[in-house]
């Protein structure tokens, strides 16, 4: 037996926490490609950022950007999974499934409440590239890619706790949610990594004729925004978090996840080692 599909977070899961190191995962990705096991990147990063990483990792669509907000599918003409979509090319509208709220709509909400209440906050849409570099620590080119947003807006809050609460309530009334990340709040629609993963598994033809209950899905992540995805997989792999407060996920004998594995090492070694171990263990079944 082998996994039918692997869904993975990027930062702190495939990529090292501070150094973005990824060399140890390359031979494992090669092995997965040889065995025909698709690896689907499921990240909070933007399309532009993920596209750059897919080239480095030699991966292909489908992939999921902006916390489950957009799903990029392989070119239909070439069939699922094996398709060679030129990543840098514009993705045709039909090859993209949007689960999130369009960025201009999120920005319009933020502008409206700013004008009405004079609250002090800063979204990426308010920042220059230099300011994004300053607040994220990203290099200029990476900051430019991070600013090409489709369905989520990172925000720094410079006002009181009370006004933040009021902002969150107004956002929720508009159908949006405000998710607390490490450094930023994220203003976005009602989507998450699990909803996008399940859409790909059940609606996209990714699994061919197979039903969800007959396939083995492995998911890997390290952060709170990975929790739902890990809890919807057959085998959940938790990578140690950068701040040492790692996720705790329980296995459910009658549901998902059937098995939880805590990687001993951090990314990228932890990713490479654990996936190798899963492949070996499943082979014996
Ligand atoms: Mg992460």
């Amino acid at each position: 037996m082998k996994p039918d599909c692997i869904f993975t977070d990027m930062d702190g899961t495939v990529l090292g926490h501070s150094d973005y190191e990824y060399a140890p995962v390359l031979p494992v990705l090669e092995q997965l490609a040889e065995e025909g096991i698709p690896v689907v990147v499921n990240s909070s990063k933007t399309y532009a950022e993920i596209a750059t990483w897919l080239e480095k990792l030699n991966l292909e669509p489908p992939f999921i950007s902006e916390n489950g907000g957009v799903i990029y599918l392989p070119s239909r003409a070439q069939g699922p999974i094996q398709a060679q979509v030129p990543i840098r090319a514009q993705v045709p509208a039909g090859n993209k499934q949007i689960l999130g709220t369009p960025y201009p709509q999120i920005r319009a909400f933020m502008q409206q409440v700013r004008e009405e209440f004079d609250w002090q906050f800063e979204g990426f849409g308010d920042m220059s590239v230099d300011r994004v570099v300053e607040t994220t620590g990203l290099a200029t080119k990476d900051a430019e890619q991070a600013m090409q947003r489709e369905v989520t807006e990172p925000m720094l809050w410079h006002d009181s706790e009370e006004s933040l609460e009021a902002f969150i309530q107004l956002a929720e009334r508009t159908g949006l949610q405000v998710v607390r990340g490490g450094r930023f709040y994220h203003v976005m629609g009602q989507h998450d990594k699990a909803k996008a993963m399940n859409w790909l598994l059940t609606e996209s033809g990714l699994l061919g004729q197979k039903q969800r209950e007959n396939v083995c899905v492995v998911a890997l992540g390290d952060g709170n925004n990975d929790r739902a995805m890990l809890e919807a997989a057959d085998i959940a792999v938790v990578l140690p978090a950068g701040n040492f407060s790692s996720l705790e996920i329980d296995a459910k004998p009658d549901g998902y996840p059937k098995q939880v594995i805590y990687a001993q090492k951090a990314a990228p070694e932890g990713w490479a080692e654990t996936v190798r171990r899963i492949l070996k263990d499943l082979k014996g079944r």
Side-chain angles (χ1 to χ4, degrees):
M1 188 183 161
K2 60 184 186 182
D4 292 270
C5 199
I6 294 179
F7 286 79
T8 185
D9 171 49
M10 288 291 286
D11 288 330
T13 299
V14 171
L15 309 175
H17 279 288
S18 47
D19 54 10
Y20 294 96
E21 177 59 38
Y22 62 95
V25 308
L26 292 176
V28 185
L29 289 174
E30 214 168 287
Q31 188 187 344
L32 291 166
E34 276 165 19
E35 298 197 22
I37 302 167
V39 176
V40 180
V41 167
N42 194 352
S43 167
S44 59
K45 290 180 181 299
T46 62
Y47 166 82
E49 290 175 288
I50 296 176
T52 299
W53 277 110
L54 291 198
E55 280 188 8
K56 289 184 188 168
L57 299 170
N58 209 10
L59 288 173
E60 289 162 10
F63 64 91
I64 301 164
S65 68
E66 296 191 48
N67 267 320
V70 192
I71 302 166
Y72 287 93
L73 300 162
S75 159
R76 278 161 213 269
Q78 291 162 307
I81 302 305
Q82 294 84 2
Q84 296 278 346
V85 173
I87 300 291
R88 287 194 190 284
Q90 195 75 27
V91 175
N95 286 7
K96 179 161 129 172
Q97 179 74 18
I98 298 176
L99 303 185
T101 304
Y103 188 70
Q105 229 168 294
I106 298 173
R107 287 296 303 170
F109 161 76
M110 292 170 74
Q111 298 288 20
Q112 195 189 328
V113 296
R114 183 179 355 235
E115 274 166 34
E116 203 171 325
F117 301 99
D118 199 30
W119 290 331
Q120 301 302 305
F121 59 81
E122 244 180 319
F124 270 20
D126 301 310
M127 296 183 189
S128 64
V129 178
D130 287 347
R131 179 68 180 143
V132 173
V133 167
E134 188 186 325
T135 55
T136 59
L138 291 171
T140 303
K141 192 179 132 274
D142 300 334
E144 282 168 354
Q145 292 183 341
M147 291 172 82
Q148 295 172 36
R149 313 205 66 87
E150 294 178 276
V151 292
T152 57
E153 174 68 329
M155 171 184 79
L156 291 172
W157 190 258
H158 303 305
D159 215 297
S160 68
E161 278 296 314
E162 290 85 352
S163 47
L164 175 62
E165 267 315 304
F167 178 91
I168 292 172
Q169 280 181 20
L170 281 173
E172 282 169 2
R173 242 178 273 165
T174 320
L176 299 171
Q177 58 172 335
V178 181
V179 178
R180 190 189 289 255
R183 200 174 316 190
F184 292 91
Y185 291 92
H186 299 269
V187 188
M188 55 193 255
Q190 304 290 331
H191 52 85
D192 63 40
K193 290 185 177 185
K195 283 181 191 156
M197 177 176 92
N198 285 329
W199 188 92
L200 255 184
L201 289 173
T202 56
E203 309 288 330
S204 72
L206 175 74
L207 300 172
Q209 298 301 314
K210 290 186 196 164
Q211 296 296 310
R212 171 67 187 91
E213 55 272 26
N214 298 327
V215 297
C216 175
V217 176
V218 177
L220 303 98
D222 73 315
N224 233 327
N225 61 342
D226 299 314
R227 177 180 290 280
M229 169 178 75
L230 295 171
E231 287 177 341
D234 293 82
I235 302 176
V237 180
V238 180
L239 275 289
N243 55 12
F244 299 106
S245 61
S246 290
L247 286 176
E248 280 183 36
I249 307 261
D250 294 325
K252 295 191 187 68
D254 301 324
Y256 300 115
K258 297 189 177 102
Q259 188 186 351
V260 181
I261 300 172
Y262 290 89
Q264 296 303 307
K265 291 182 190 161
E269 285 87 1
W271 194 99
E273 208 175 80
T274 314
V275 172
R276 240 190 224 119
R277 189 185 127 195
I278 291 169
L279 291 177
K280 207 167 149 219
D281 286 355
L282 286 178
K283 244 177 211 145
R285 288 191 209 167

